[in-house]
């Protein structure tokens, strides 16, 4: 059933079959909606009813269940319950877990650190209070070096922010070096 | 590793404070991205799992328009007052024009909405979809992709009634044939209203709402006293503190009230309070600016502390401005307090009614 997202009430079928606009009977929100066939065909639960015969191959993880497939990654026999169809392959839960740990499945990533944005912020934001750039410019270089080979964003995978942050940070460091050289020339050495 | 190339569907909306949500599409799924400045978090919604898209209009466009209009009016007024100094006038007019442009853009982008996608296991809010126009675009895209991914299922329209058919009646011809009759398209909403489950008051932050509206009433009393001519420094400071507390409580209360069921009236009262209190702040700020611009003593001419003291005295003394401000504030805050408490009382009465089990024999 379709739910009203405002008050979480479940709307009865009469509310969302027919016209594509309706008012929630509880909170009065004017809802617009579009329903799709998946609403009427929820995914079927895996078959868990069969038991293994004595001479059958057994599931690696469930000794009392017959093997139905072979894991495409590790080759273990797995039952229907353990089968995870993912990116066109049949995998067991252990391989999925290991793949997630090693970052093999970009499709399962739940989040990534944006070192490029962090480096760019470190290179630009402190310019408003420029004396801080003495600390933040080397830090920005450090973040660029540290994050260069780290997994990048799924939606903005290029490295231009790293490049810009690195150039800006190097310019700031060069500016500080120039300033220190001038100061050393003004106060040091000559009697 | 980044073999997939996502296509951006929606940029972060104009009103996004804590994070910058965006929406990306791929052939088989939607990617919901939340970027907080340091990390991105991803949620994927596969087209094959999408059961429904639901959206409703929100009043954000109206509120934004009112707020921007206040800025336009404020800067225009200041420019008018500063007409003797052309440079300052043009700068202020530039600000007014900038906010006017923002206002036009806000109006041209169409109504705002909250959009949700429902799957078998969860309902995800598409935070990046902030306008109804975008919701229609995502609907069109979803129709196209879903028709590919969910092909083999029944076509989306016209929709057959799912489970829970109406009880067969003896006088309908379909009862004898065993086929449930189709639902008529125009069933009154009340006929299908589900009795909401009993609601506990835990988690409703009832005390917070009571404190917020009591603060509004207290602030109204203070302003009424000031409007009555008993203005002094202590009362002015107390009124200012009460106004600040009210602002904070209104913001927190609005966030909490939006999560409550049956809270439309309460939420509307909070929105009114937010807009009103913000308007008072903007007007007060503009008045201070006007005084600083038109004050005969130039700030650079003497001690800045003395100058600010003089302006504050003009701003907070028994001037016509203060009288009008205090009177209007007292009326508005009193109305907010009374309406809020009334809404709370109504909501509680409804909750109690719903929590009471129906007596035997009643339908």
């Amino acid at each position: 059933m379709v739910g009203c997202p405002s008050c979480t009430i479940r709307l009865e079928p009469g509310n969302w079959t027919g016209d594509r606009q309706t008012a929630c009977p509880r909170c009065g929100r004017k809802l617009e909606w579009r329903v799709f066939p998946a609403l009427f065909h929820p995914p079927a639960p895996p078959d868990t009813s069969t038991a293994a015969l004595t001479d059958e191959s057994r599931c690696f993880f469930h000794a009392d269940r017959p093997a139905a497939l072979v894991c495409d990654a590790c080759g273990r026999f797995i039952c229907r319950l353990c089968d995870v169809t993912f990116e066109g392959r049949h995998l067991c839960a252990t391989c999925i877990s290991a793949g997630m740990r090693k970052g093999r499945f970009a499709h399962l990533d739940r989040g990534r650190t944006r070192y490029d944005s962090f480096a760019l912020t470190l290179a630009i934001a402190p310019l408003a209070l420029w004396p801080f750039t003495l600390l933040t410019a080397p830090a920005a270089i450090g973040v660029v070096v540290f994050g260069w080979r780290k997994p990048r964003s799924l939606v903005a995978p290029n490295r231009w922010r790293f490049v810009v942050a690195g150039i800006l940070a190097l310019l700031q460091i060069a500016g500080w070096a120039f300033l220190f050289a001038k100061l050393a020339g003004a106060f040091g050495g000559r009697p | 590793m980044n073999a997939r190339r996502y296509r951006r569907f929606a940029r972060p909306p104009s009103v996004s404070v804590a994070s910058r949500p965006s929406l990306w599409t791929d052939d088989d799924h939607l990617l919901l991205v939340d970027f907080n400045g340091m990390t991105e978090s991803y949620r994927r919604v596969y087209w094959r799992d999408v059961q429904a898209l639901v959206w409703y209009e929100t009043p954000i466009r109206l509120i934004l328009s009112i707020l921007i209009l206040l800025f336009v009016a404020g800067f225009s007024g200041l420019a008018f007052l500063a007409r003797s100094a052309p440079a300052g006038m043009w700068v202020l007019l530039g600000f007014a024009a900038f906010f006017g442009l923002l206002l036009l853009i806000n109006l041209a982008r169409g109504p705002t909405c909250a959009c949700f996608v429902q799957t078998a296991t969860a309902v995800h809010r598409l935070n990046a979809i902030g306008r109804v126009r975008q919701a229609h675009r995502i609907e069109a895209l979803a129709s196209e992709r879903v028709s590919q991914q969910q092909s083999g299922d029944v076509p989306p329209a016209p929709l057959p009634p799912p489970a829970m058919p109406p009880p067969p009646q003896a006088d309908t011809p379909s009862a004898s044939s065993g086929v449930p009759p189709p639902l008529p398209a125009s069933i009154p909403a009340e006929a299908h209203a589900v009795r909401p489950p009993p609601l506990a008051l835990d988690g409703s932050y009832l005390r917070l709402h009571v404190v917020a509206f009591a603060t509004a009433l207290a602030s109204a009393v203070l302003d009424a006293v000031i409007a009555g001519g008993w203005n002094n420094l202590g009362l002015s400071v107390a009124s200012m503190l009460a106004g600040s507390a009210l602002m904070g409580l209104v913001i927190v209360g609005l966030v909490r009230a939006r999560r409550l069921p049956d809270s439309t009236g309460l939420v509307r009262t909070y929105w009114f309070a937010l807009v009103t209190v913000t308007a008072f702040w903007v007007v007060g700020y503009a008045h201070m600016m006007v005084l600083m611009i038109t004050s005969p003593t130039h700030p650079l001419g003497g001690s800045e502390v003395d100058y600010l003291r003089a302006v504050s005295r003009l701003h907070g003394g028994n001037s016509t401005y203060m009288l009008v401000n205090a009177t209007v504030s007292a009326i508005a805050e009193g109305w907010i307090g009374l309406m809020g408490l009334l809404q709370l009382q109504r909501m509680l009465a409804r909750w109690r009614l719903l929590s009471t089990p129906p007596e035997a024999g009643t339908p």
Side-chain angles (χ1 to χ4, degrees):
Chain A
M1 271 196 273
V2 177
C4 168
S6 180
C7 66
T8 68
I9 191 178
R10 289 287 180 188
L11 302 178
E12 288 292 299
N15 290 121
W16 45 267
T17 49
D19 197 4
R20 287 186 46 213
Q21 290 187 350
T22 188
C24 172
R26 188 201 240 182
C27 66
R29 283 259 187 215
K30 276 188 188 171
L31 304 173
E32 281 190 67
W33 44 261
R34 173 76 187 254
V35 291
F36 298 104
L39 185 65
F40 311 109
H41 297 267
D47 174 26
T48 58
S49 58
T50 52
L53 300 175
T54 49
D55 53 347
E56 269 184 329
S57 303
R58 311 292 180 94
C59 170
F60 181 84
F61 302 99
H62 300 98
D64 57 336
R65 294 180 51 77
L69 295 154
V70 176
C71 173
D72 288 338
C74 63
R76 286 170 180 155
F77 288 144
I78 51 176
C79 62
R80 291 275 176 207
L81 192 63
C82 298
D83 173 34
V84 180
T85 309
F86 184 68
E87 293 183 335
R89 301 163 73 197
H90 294 278
L91 302 173
C92 65
T94 311
C95 291
I96 292 276
S97 171
M100 278 179 73
R101 254 198 329 272
K102 293 175 183 173
R104 280 184 193 154
F105 303 127
H107 233 181
L108 290 180
D109 268 354
R110 284 178 293 183
R112 284 188 180 177
T113 305
R114 290 285 301 270
Y115 292 101
D116 54 346
S117 286
F118 184 45
L120 196 60
T121 308
L122 265 182
I124 291 177
L127 288 174
L129 296 166
W130 62 269
F132 285 100
T133 55
L134 184 61
L135 297 173
T136 54
I141 295 285
V143 174
V144 169
V145 172
F146 180 76
W148 187 265
R149 288 195 170 276
K150 296 280 182 187
R152 298 189 297 278
S153 164
L154 287 181
V155 293
N158 43 30
R159 289 191 171 113
W160 69 265
R161 288 180 187 82
F162 276 133
V163 175
V164 173
I167 291 171
L168 281 175
L170 286 175
L171 285 175
Q172 289 165 18
I173 290 170
W176 279 109
F178 179 74
L179 184 67
F180 282 133
K182 279 283 184 191
L183 288 174
F187 294 110
R190 293 176 190 166
Chain B
M1 190 172 282
N2 294 319
R4 285 179 181 273
R5 287 285 174 182
Y6 288 98
R7 289 172 294 282
R8 186 196 289 273
F9 186 83
R11 291 176 181 279
S14 47
V15 185
S16 55
V17 181
S19 66
R20 292 175 58 75
S22 55
L23 188 61
W24 301 73
T25 61
D26 195 11
D27 292 337
D28 61 348
H29 67 273
L30 270 175
L31 184 71
L32 283 58
V33 181
D34 261 316
F35 179 50
N36 65 5
M38 180 68 189
T39 55
E40 276 179 349
S41 61
Y42 307 122
R43 278 179 298 163
R44 294 171 183 80
V45 180
Y46 287 84
W47 295 117
R48 64 170 181 270
D49 300 330
V50 173
Q51 291 186 337
L53 275 170
V54 185
W55 64 93
Y56 57 81
E57 284 191 25
T58 55
I60 303 288
R61 181 170 80 147
L62 176 68
I63 290 159
L64 264 183
S65 299
I66 292 171
L67 287 179
I68 298 173
L69 198 61
L70 284 175
F71 278 98
V72 173
F75 280 113
S76 305
L78 289 176
F80 177 75
L81 291 170
R83 61 189 182 280
S84 54
M89 184 188 75
W90 284 112
V91 169
L92 289 168
L93 275 181
F95 280 117
F98 171 72
F99 281 106
L101 187 66
L102 286 187
L103 180 65
L104 286 179
I105 291 172
N106 182 43
L107 291 175
R109 291 184 69 196
T112 48
C113 74
C115 185
F116 300 83
V117 59
Q118 177 179 318
T119 64
T121 53
V123 176
H124 302 278
R125 178 165 181 173
L126 304 179
N127 287 314
I129 303 286
R131 303 277 171 167
V132 171
R133 229 176 263 169
Q134 286 177 312
H136 287 150
R137 273 179 55 216
I138 191 81
E139 182 202 356
L141 180 76
S143 305
E144 177 195 327
R145 296 289 165 82
V146 165
S147 64
Q148 298 163 4
Q149 302 280 329
Q150 295 181 16
S151 58
D153 292 335
V154 292
L159 294 167
M164 299 175 62
Q169 295 174 1
D171 54 350
T172 53
S174 58
S176 56
S177 61
V179 181
L183 284 174
S186 58
I187 294 177
E190 290 77 12
H192 290 280
V194 175
R195 188 181 181 86
L199 291 166
L201 291 180
D202 299 340
S204 64
Y205 293 88
L206 197 63
R207 278 185 202 158
L208 171 81
H209 302 306
V210 172
V211 169
F213 295 122
T215 308
L217 285 178
S219 188
V221 170
L222 282 172
D223 284 332
V225 171
I226 292 172
W230 292 282
N231 189 13
N232 59 37
L233 183 66
L235 275 177
S236 293
V237 171
S239 168
M240 210 168 67
L241 288 177
S244 306
L246 180 61
M247 184 69 154
L249 286 168
V250 162
I251 291 171
V252 179
L254 178 61
V255 172
R256 296 296 179 193
R258 282 165 64 92
R259 295 175 187 166
L260 290 176
D262 291 329
S263 63
T264 313
L266 191 66
V267 169
R268 278 186 192 148
T269 310
Y270 270 123
W271 273 119
F272 176 78
L274 187 62
V275 172
T276 311
V277 176
T278 308
F280 283 136
W281 277 25
V282 171
V283 169
Y285 182 73
H287 184 248
M288 280 287 279
M289 290 293 110
V290 168
L291 287 175
M292 290 176 97
I293 289 170
T294 57
S295 175
T297 315
H298 195 275
L300 299 178
S303 162
E304 285 192 24
V305 177
D306 291 340
Y307 172 73
L308 286 175
R309 268 190 199 144
V311 170
S312 300
R313 218 172 290 127
L314 282 173
H315 175 69
N318 287 316
S319 59
T320 313
Y321 159 77
M322 183 50 82
L323 182 71
V324 173
N325 189 332
T327 309
V328 176
S329 298
I331 293 170
E333 286 164 348
W335 191 85
I336 289 166
L338 290 175
M339 280 306 293
L341 291 175
L342 187 68
Q343 294 289 351
L344 272 180
Q345 191 266 335
R346 276 186 192 163
M347 218 166 70
L348 278 175
R350 183 164 157 74
W351 284 1
R352 284 203 192 97
L353 184 71
L354 293 172
S355 303
T356 312
E359 292 174 14
T362 55

